Amino acid sequence: MPKPHRLGLITLCGLLIVVGLTRTQSSKEQPIPIHNVSILATSAHASPINEYAQASALNMLNVTQPSIDNSADTDASTDIDISQAKPTNIEHILNPLAVQQIVTQPVDKNTYHTETVNKGDTLAAVFKRAGVNAKYMYHLLHNHKEAKSLAKIFPGHQLKFVSDDKDKLIALHHIKDALNKQVFTRNEANYDHEEIVREPEIRLARTEGTITHSLYAAAKEAHLEDRLTMSLANIFGWDVDFALDIRKNDSFAVVYEEKYLDGKRLGTGDIIAAEFTNKGDNYQAVRYVDSTGNAQYYTPQGRTMRKAFLRSPIEFARISSHFNLKRKHPILNTIRAHKGTDYAAPRGTPIKTTGDGKVIFAGRKNGYGNVLIIQHGQTYETRYAHLKGFAKNVRRGKTVKQGQVVAYVGTTGLSTAPHLHYEFRVNGAVRNPVTVKLPKANPIAKAERERFFAQTKPLIAQLNNLPPATQIATQKTDASGTTAM
């Protein structure tokens, strides 16, 4: 066949293939499988336009064009079996825009590094340990008011650094605990700040115990954390002197909060309801948050557990000498009235004021040594003697709140060993601090009573009726049916 004829035939074949595929696209029909079709490959002397047409047709079918020996100008033809072609997405071939719609996931080139704050660490030390240039720390501290809180990092906090591929700090996460963190994210000129607070799931748990040796030991046996043991003592501290009044077989029951986040136990919250039996007398308390957000503990009848005075100014201290108006003085060796109660405690033990009041004297006074005198209204006065020293900002004229640390145990004045001498006076006359009848604080407001009973009755019922170590409300047990305390 003459060469011009062969060229025309090749061109026609290529065009027919393209037109056929185009029609398939336009009719939106499924591609028809091509079987046993051969394309006639011609001499290498074909013109460039014919080579382009042939290559286009072959590429669209993913058919590899066979190599041609250019040394021979022959009419011999080579068959290309399209049945061996790889499957091709014809829609993408005929519609190039579809290729542009393929979305490629961006590669994260940032680096992440987390450091835990240790005791004695400074912010600069943590930055250095993380390998982050200090200039970013200074820029953050000097250009964002919220960043000042970074100067108050504590052991256990975590700092998570996010840097780009040029080691530039683009984000800093200050993780205070599982529930609280703040994030500084770099913008064009400064940093954006976000405070993230997560709310835990609150579940309720109950435990109880009987005292055989001490409240502390019994609480440990009942799986009660130290913090909750102290809270229990504070709740009933107006009625029970835990240094003097505790007896064997006294008992307690506690309903308290447990905090969970993403199914993981974080720790405990507040005591919701509690009961303490001391020398046969039973006391109950329930926590109530009023409409203004103020939380206090009340009896089931709505009387506040809080009295005008605490029974003892030192927690869990031993009484070394009782109130006795005919006591023989250990140093003077004469009969001299002991007008208060002595609490033996190590030097430096914190002393709390037993009631709200005003400091009328803070200094040295004869055999008292360092003494603090607080006036509580017009009727009551308390004295704290033999002190090592006074708490910060406690001086004459200052007001103090019940439970506030005001001084520290010492051995100044006429004293043989470190202890606190505590006096309680009513209208100027001394009274036995251990037995004096303490005035009560105001009960719950009338406007709150209906709301109070609606919220607290179910808690008192749970306190009374549930067996020990039973979880209540939304609390769940594990697969074995046991409770984690």
Side-chain angles (χ1 to χ4, degrees):
M1 181 182 292
K3 285 186 178 181
H5 291 175
R6 289 202 300 269
L7 293 176
L9 180 59
I10 292 298
T11 303
L12 179 60
C13 289
L15 292 175
L16 286 175
I17 292 174
V18 174
V19 170
L21 294 174
T22 304
R23 286 180 178 176
T24 302
Q25 169 66 16
S26 62
S27 63
K28 300 185 180 298
E29 297 177 355
Q30 293 295 327
I32 301 175
I34 304 175
H35 300 288
N36 302 322
V37 178
S38 297
I39 295 179
L40 186 61
T42 66
S43 169
H45 295 291
S47 64
I49 186 170
N50 291 326
E51 292 177 353
Y52 175 79
Q54 179 183 354
S56 299
L58 295 173
N59 287 337
M60 282 188 287
L61 294 175
N62 275 354
V63 178
T64 303
Q65 185 175 3
S67 59
I68 300 175
D69 186 359
N70 292 331
S71 63
D73 183 12
T74 175
D75 291 341
S77 62
T78 303
D79 288 341
I80 301 174
D81 188 358
I82 299 182
S83 64
Q84 301 301 319
K86 298 178 182 178
T88 302
N89 190 332
I90 297 178
E91 291 186 0
H92 285 171
I93 295 174
L94 299 179
N95 185 11
L97 292 177
V99 179
Q100 300 177 12
Q101 296 175 1
I102 299 176
V103 179
T104 303
Q105 292 294 333
V107 178
D108 187 358
K109 297 183 179 180
N110 297 333
T111 58
Y112 303 83
H113 185 80
T114 301
E115 284 287 343
T116 300
V117 179
N118 300 318
K119 185 177 181 180
D121 272 346
T122 63
L123 185 61
V126 179
F127 265 72
K128 183 177 181 181
R129 195 161 64 237
V132 178
N133 196 314
K135 69 179 182 181
Y136 297 115
M137 178 187 71
Y138 294 121
H139 181 270
L140 183 59
L141 292 175
H142 287 88
N143 291 279
H144 204 298
K145 62 179 182 179
E146 299 293 342
K148 293 181 180 178
S149 62
L150 293 173
K152 298 179 181 179
I153 55 177
F154 295 94
H157 285 191
Q158 289 185 322
L159 293 179
K160 180 179 179 181
F161 301 87
V162 183
S163 304
D164 61 14
D165 55 353
K166 297 180 180 179
D167 292 333
K168 180 179 179 181
L169 183 66
I170 58 176
L172 176 64
H173 299 241
H174 176 204
I175 304 169
K176 301 174 184 177
D177 52 45
L179 301 175
N180 301 277
K181 75 173 182 178
Q182 57 179 338
V183 181
F184 298 90
T185 306
R186 187 68 181 260
N187 55 35
E188 292 183 1
N190 201 346
Y191 286 89
D192 295 321
H193 176 262
E194 182 183 11
E195 193 81 25
I196 300 174
V197 179
R198 299 187 65 184
E199 291 294 331
E201 175 192 0
I202 300 298
R203 306 178 186 179
L204 297 183
R206 182 185 187 276
T207 189
E208 65 179 24
T210 300
I211 298 174
T212 55
H213 296 92
S214 69
L215 173 62
Y216 179 79
K220 280 290 186 184
E221 189 174 343
H223 306 287
L224 200 63
E225 294 181 358
D226 291 350
R227 183 183 64 84
L228 293 180
T229 303
M230 297 301 295
S231 180
L232 178 67
N234 289 332
I235 291 170
F236 296 106
W238 286 277
D239 297 297
V240 179
D241 186 336
F242 283 88
L244 178 68
D245 295 340
I246 298 300
R247 296 290 186 272
K248 185 178 181 180
N249 294 325
D250 284 355
S251 62
F252 60 87
V254 180
V255 176
Y256 60 95
E257 295 175 329
E258 286 190 325
K259 297 179 180 180
Y260 284 79
L261 186 67
D262 300 329
K264 180 180 179 181
R265 185 180 184 274
L266 298 181
T268 58
D270 296 307
I271 290 178
I272 301 301
E275 178 181 75
F276 198 90
T277 301
N278 173 238
K279 295 185 292 187
D281 295 325
N282 183 265
Y283 304 92
Q284 286 189 330
V286 61
R287 187 176 187 268
Y288 173 67
V289 182
D290 64 24
S291 55
T292 64
N294 182 41
Q296 286 194 50
Y297 289 94
Y298 296 87
T299 68
Q301 296 75 33
R303 295 190 299 271
T304 179
M305 295 297 296
R306 182 181 187 275
K307 308 298 189 296
F309 292 91
L310 293 172
R311 181 61 71 179
S312 171
I314 300 181
E315 294 174 340
F316 305 112
R318 175 179 62 86
I319 293 180
S320 57
S321 183
H322 288 273
F323 178 87
N324 185 352
L325 297 181
K326 297 181 179 180
R327 187 192 71 160
K328 184 177 181 180
H329 196 279
I331 294 179
L332 300 177
N333 202 27
T334 59
I335 301 299
R336 186 171 179 175
H338 189 243
K339 301 178 181 180
T341 299
D342 290 351
Y343 293 88
R347 190 188 308 270
T349 300
I351 299 168
K352 299 178 180 180
T353 177
T354 52
D356 296 350
K358 183 178 181 179
V359 177
I360 60 174
F361 185 87
R364 198 168 184 91
K365 183 185 285 290
N366 304 324
Y368 282 120
N370 291 329
V371 62
L372 178 67
I373 303 176
I374 299 176
Q375 185 72 40
H376 309 272
Q378 299 298 317
T379 305
Y380 303 97
E381 176 187 295
T382 55
R383 296 189 178 194
Y384 312 80
H386 306 309
L387 308 176
K388 175 184 177 182
F390 308 99
K392 186 178 180 181
N393 294 327
V394 173
R395 57 182 180 273
R396 183 175 181 179
K398 287 288 185 177
T399 57
V400 292
K401 293 292 184 181
Q402 185 181 73
Q404 177 182 336
V405 174
V406 291
Y408 303 94
V409 170
T411 183
T412 57
L414 294 176
S415 171
T416 57
H419 72 281
L420 167 68
H421 175 81
Y422 173 61
E423 293 184 8
F424 192 94
R425 300 186 178 222
V426 181
N427 293 320
V430 292
R431 294 288 187 270
N432 186 342
V434 174
T435 60
V436 65
K437 187 175 181 179
L438 299 176
K440 295 183 179 294
N442 295 328
I444 194 168
K446 290 183 179 180
E448 295 278 348
R449 290 184 69 83
E450 183 177 349
R451 184 172 180 266
F452 168 80
F453 289 120
Q455 290 189 17
T456 61
K457 279 186 177 180
L459 297 175
I460 294 298
Q462 292 168 349
L463 181 67
N464 291 336
N465 298 331
L466 286 179
T470 300
Q471 302 205 358
I472 58 181
T474 58
Q475 184 98 348
K476 299 178 181 178
T477 57
D478 61 23
S480 64
T482 58
T483 295
M485 289 290 185

